[in-house]
């Protein structure tokens, strides 16, 4: 490969697969995509790409995939939604091996630019105890009290990137992702995040005729959710910028989980009875993105309205559900299915 080659790690995942596609759309001719999952398990596999299955927990694998690479997008991590990260804290912490070995390999291979996908889970939990939360600015990561496990690993890896820039001259950049969602994402199995999980539950209710839904906690916890197209645009802008400190990459449209459920009900053309599970993991009470710095630095911020993004996501989850379970659905699967059926 030529030295202009771009490496995307975690390319078999949701964001990574979309990022590879976007790089190809923007004319990148030499892209290496890496994930430890077998190719059959990747969310997206693209032709004309150097697709590599490798475990980046191992230093030798990182050395191999960084060979002849100009720019790295480091998205690889063991992660999922709140149901996963609250019950797999050690697994999430072990991603520090990926980030340590990738930084060392990038330094030794002469990589020019290195982007790290961090998370809003790095923010101090004491600032997120109220659903009516004040939007979090970048300075709110310190004094440090991030999400246990996953958040600590992300914050530590941010600091490693900073010091590799200061000590070794590796041009590192970082974005703190806020709840990225959209088509082609994980929607079942335990790693899915709230938007996809709610879409799946509503689809199940529509198809089964059992018009009820379980909501974790009391549904009053608040978040902002970032559509995948905004995540990709922001990632590429931050990676190419001269902003060396981590930036928020998230929508500032704050909603409660109850409001998110209502939005998906409206999209599906259904009204559900809600059952609340107070013992389910819910994370912090409220989290929102302060976009002041990204607006000042890049003249841009995520702008996709939540309804627009959720409508596309719901339709994709609906189709994915039918593809996976078509043989088990019975006669109800051919019944009219709310707003989605009208669009077909």
């Amino acid at each position: 490969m030529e030295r202009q080659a771009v490496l995307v790690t975690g390319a078999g995942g949701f964001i990574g697969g979309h990022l590879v596609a976007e790089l190809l759309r923007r004319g990148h001719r030499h892209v290496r995509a890496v994930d430890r999952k077998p190719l059959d398990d990747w969310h997206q596999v693209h032709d004309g790409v150097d697709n590599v299955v490798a475990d980046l927990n191992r230093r030798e694998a990182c050395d191999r995939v960084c060979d002849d690479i100009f720019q790295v997008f480091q998205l690889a991590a063991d992660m999922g939604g709140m149901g996963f990260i609250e019950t797999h804290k050690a697994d999430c912490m072990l991603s520090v091996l990926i980030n340590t070995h990738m930084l060392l390999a990038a330094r030794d291979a002469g990589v020019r630019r290195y982007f790290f996908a961090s998370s809003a889970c790095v923010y101090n939990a004491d600032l997120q105890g109220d659903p009516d939360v004040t939007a979090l600015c970048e300075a709110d990561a310190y004094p440090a009290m991030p999400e246990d496990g996953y958040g600590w690993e992300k914050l530590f890896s941010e600091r490693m990137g900073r010091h590799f820039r200061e000590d070794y001259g590796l041009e590192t950049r970082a974005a703190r992702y806020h709840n990225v969602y959209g088509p082609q994402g994980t929607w079942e199995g335990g790693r899915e995040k709230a938007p996809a999980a709610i879409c799946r539950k509503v689809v199940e209710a529509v198809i089964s005729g059992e018009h009820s839904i379980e909501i974790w906690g009391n549904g009053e916890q608040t978040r902002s959710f970032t559509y995948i197209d905004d995540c990709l645009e922001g990632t590429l802008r931050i990676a190419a910028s001269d902003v060396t400190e981590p930036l928020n990459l998230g929508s500032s449209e704050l909603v409660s989980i109850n409001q998110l459920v209502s939005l998906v009900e409206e999209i599906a053309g259904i009204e559900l009875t809600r059952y609340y599970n107070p013992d389910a993991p819910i994370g912090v009470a409220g989290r929102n993105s302060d976009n002041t710095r990204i607006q000042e630095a890049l003249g841009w911020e995520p702008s996709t309205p939540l309804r627009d993004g959720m409508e596309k996501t719901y339709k994709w989850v609906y189709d994915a559900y039918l593809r996976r379970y078509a043989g088990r659905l019975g006669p109800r699967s051919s019944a009219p299915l709310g707003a989605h059926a009208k669009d077909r």
Side-chain angles (χ1 to χ4, degrees), residues 324-330 333:
R324 183 159 297 178
Y325 297 113
R328 313 180 212 171
L329 296 179
S333 63

Side-chain angles (χ1 to χ4, degrees), residues 126-178:
D126 284 349
L127 302 176
Q128 303 171 76
D130 190 325
D132 188 21
V133 65
T134 299
L136 297 160
C137 69
E138 286 78 0
D140 289 332
Y142 297 95
M145 192 183 294
E147 188 85 41
D148 199 13
Y150 179 71
W152 274 109
E153 192 281 324
K154 288 293 189 182
L155 190 61
F156 176 77
S157 294
E158 280 187 10
R159 299 293 288 193
M160 272 203 301
R162 169 181 172 174
H163 297 312
F164 267 67
R165 183 182 69 254
E166 294 170 341
D167 293 357
Y168 303 125
L170 177 61
E171 286 295 335
T172 56
R173 303 291 185 266
R176 292 172 179 164
Y177 289 165
H178 286 248

